[in-house]
């Protein structure tokens, strides 16, 4: 591996808590990451867009919040910001997924990471950079679980934009220019899932129905739910990120590591279970289901053997725990379970 001309810098004084910068710290994943790192005694700095950088719905915390538009930040500005913070770990939980344009995804998912890698290269003291990738970088799956060695052929622009970011981090790490690792994450669920996501949106709709002894059956109309997906709890993802932050560089630098549940569940089954846990009289209706000729079921399942080996991590929450947490956070569960 090539050696970089990285300048040495004095380590922090003994007894100083590690400092963690979470990009996108006001978002769904970011909030859970902040909580997890704070629980280890780390000093946490959240960096988010100006309208999201202030106090959020969490209980008051000691976290610092910096307002920075990560989609448009200039490389020099980000480099100066990170140099001033002197982090031990930088986690990139920022990005664009749902209901946005290809242009915005390119800026938030690809160009931001190019800027971030350039900034981290210049820091006088090298932090661990953890890039959160996605299962959708793999694209169409072959039968069985997907290992990290499977060629990545994304089927949509979101997956392509994240794959380009992965390659940027890996190229720099493998060239010895930074200490970076990519966690390729399955479909994340749990408390606070965005309303723009499938399950977060359903939880919000169930919450809008509200409780009531005289409630009549309501139809929940969705597009056909034919896929099989790997769902992982957001707290399990946060624990994987903690493990990646604390792992030895020799184990993780320059690596892609899958983070998922290691099994697939039919999306229809997951939605039905979410409705059952809500206790509401809701009947699922899939618009157009069965109208088209049946195709091979689209299945995406991650092989998490490498995470178990390198991170000594595995998921601990089951599907019901994740769905119940989602409903509780959305105000849907209450005492009706």
């Amino acid at each position: 591996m090539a050696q970089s001309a990285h300048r040495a810098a004095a380590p922090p004084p003994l007894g100083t808590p590690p400092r963690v910068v979470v990009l996108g710290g006001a978002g769904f994943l970011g909030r859970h990451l902040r909580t997890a790192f704070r629980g280890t005694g780390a000093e946490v700095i959240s960096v988010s867009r100006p309208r999201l950088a202030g106090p959020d719905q969490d209980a008051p915390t000691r976290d610092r919040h910096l307002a920075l538009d990560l989609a448009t930040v200039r490389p020099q500005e980000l480099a100066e910001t990170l140099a001033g913070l002197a982090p031990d770990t930088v986690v990139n939980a920022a990005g664009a997924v749902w209901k946005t344009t290809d242009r915005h995804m390119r800026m938030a998912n690809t160009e931001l990471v190019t800027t971030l890698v350039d900034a981290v290269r210049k820091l006088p003291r090298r932090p661990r950079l953890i890039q959160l990738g996605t299962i959708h970088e793999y694209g169409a799956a072959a039968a069985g679980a997907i290992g990290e060695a499977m060629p990545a052929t994304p089927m949509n622009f979101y997956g392509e934009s994240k794959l380009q970011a992965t390659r940027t981090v890996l190229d720099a790490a493998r060239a010895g220019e930074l200490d970076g690792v990519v966690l390729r994450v399955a479909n994340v669920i749990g408390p606070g899932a965005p309303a723009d996501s499938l399950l977060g949106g359903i939880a919000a709709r169930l919450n809008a129905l509200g409780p009531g002894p005289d409630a009549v059956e309501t139809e929940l109309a969705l597009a056909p739910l034919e896929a099989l997906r790997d769902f992982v709890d957001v707290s399990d993802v946060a624990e994987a990120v903690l493990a990646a932050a604390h792992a030895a560089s020799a184990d993780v630098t320059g690596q892609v590591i899958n983070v998922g549940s290691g099994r697939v569940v039919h999306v229809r089954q997951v939605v039905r279970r979410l409705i059952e846990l809500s206790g509401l009289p809701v009947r699922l209706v899939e618009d157009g289901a069965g109208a088209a000729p049946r195709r091979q079921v689209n299945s995406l399942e991650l092989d998490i053997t490498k995470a178990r080996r390198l991170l000594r991590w595995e998921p601990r929450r089951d599907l019901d725990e994740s769905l119940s947490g989602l409903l509780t956070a959305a105000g849907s569960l209450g005492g009706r379970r």
Side-chain angles (χ1 to χ4, degrees):
M1 179 180 289
Q3 297 296 315
S4 67
H6 189 81
R7 292 179 294 137
L14 291 175
T16 301
R19 181 173 294 172
V20 179
V21 171
V22 180
L23 304 183
F28 168 46
L29 271 171
R31 292 196 301 273
H32 288 270
L33 291 170
R34 284 165 37 208
T35 298
F37 275 107
R38 195 186 316 121
T40 68
E43 177 188 358
V44 181
I45 300 115
S46 170
V47 181
S48 296
R49 294 194 305 274
R51 67 183 180 86
L52 297 176
D56 52 33
Q57 296 177 350
D58 298 337
T61 70
R62 299 185 304 274
D63 300 351
R64 291 169 57 189
H65 297 265
L66 296 184
L68 200 64
D69 188 342
L70 294 168
T72 60
V73 64
R74 292 176 292 108
Q76 186 60 30
E77 182 182 5
L78 183 58
E80 291 172 357
T81 298
L82 291 177
L85 295 174
D88 298 284
T89 303
V90 177
V91 185
N92 182 27
V97 187
W98 299 283
K99 297 183 180 179
T100 188
T101 64
D102 287 358
R103 179 177 179 275
H104 187 237
M105 277 195 281
R106 182 182 298 107
M107 292 171 63
N109 297 341
T110 305
E111 294 175 7
L112 165 62
V113 175
T114 300
T115 299
L116 175 61
V117 166
D118 185 58
V120 171
R121 280 189 183 113
K122 298 174 181 177
L123 294 180
R125 185 164 62 88
R126 177 176 295 183
R128 167 73 46 80
L129 172 60
I130 302 172
Q131 165 69 11
L132 299 186
T134 173
I135 189 173
H136 297 289
E137 293 174 45
Y138 287 116
I146 306 168
E148 291 85 353
M150 176 177 171
T153 54
M155 301 295 288
N156 54 44
F157 190 80
Y158 170 66
E160 178 60 37
S161 67
K162 294 291 285 186
L163 177 60
Q164 290 180 36
T166 287
R167 288 170 173 163
T168 297
V169 173
L170 295 182
D171 286 349
R174 291 168 181 173
E177 297 170 350
L178 54 77
D179 179 1
V181 58
V182 176
L183 302 186
R184 204 166 261 166
V185 182
N187 298 275
V188 185
I189 58 174
D196 286 344
S197 67
L198 173 65
L199 297 178
I202 293 172
R205 290 169 69 177
L206 293 172
N207 182 46
L209 293 175
D214 301 322
V216 296
E217 184 177 76
T218 303
E219 288 188 354
L220 177 65
L222 299 172
L225 303 169
E226 301 293 349
L228 292 164
R229 289 291 181 264
D230 186 326
F231 291 96
V232 62
D233 190 276
V234 65
S235 293
D236 283 326
V237 175
E239 290 174 2
V241 172
L242 286 180
H246 298 142
S249 294
D251 288 337
V252 300
T253 298
Q255 297 283 344
V256 173
I257 303 174
N258 288 339
V259 173
S261 68
R263 65 187 184 95
V264 288
V265 186
H266 205 296
V267 175
R268 180 181 297 114
Q269 176 187 339
V270 175
V271 172
R272 285 176 174 167
R273 185 58 180 154
L274 185 64
I275 294 170
E276 289 173 1
L277 288 169
S278 77
L280 292 168
V282 172
R283 182 168 63 89
L284 175 63
V285 176
E286 296 178 62
D287 292 338
R294 187 168 182 81
R295 299 177 181 176
Q296 183 177 359
V297 174
N298 184 331
S299 178
L300 286 174
E301 174 187 357
L302 290 180
D303 181 341
I304 58 173
T305 302
K306 193 174 181 180
R308 290 189 173 106
R309 176 169 55 85
L310 296 183
L311 303 181
R312 296 172 176 80
W313 168 92
E314 60 184 350
R316 298 191 295 115
R317 284 90 180 167
D318 63 20
L319 185 61
D320 271 13
E321 184 176 352
S322 301
L323 295 177
S324 294
L326 171 59
L327 286 166
T328 299
S332 301
L333 187 57
R336 302 191 303 277
R337 186 174 175 183

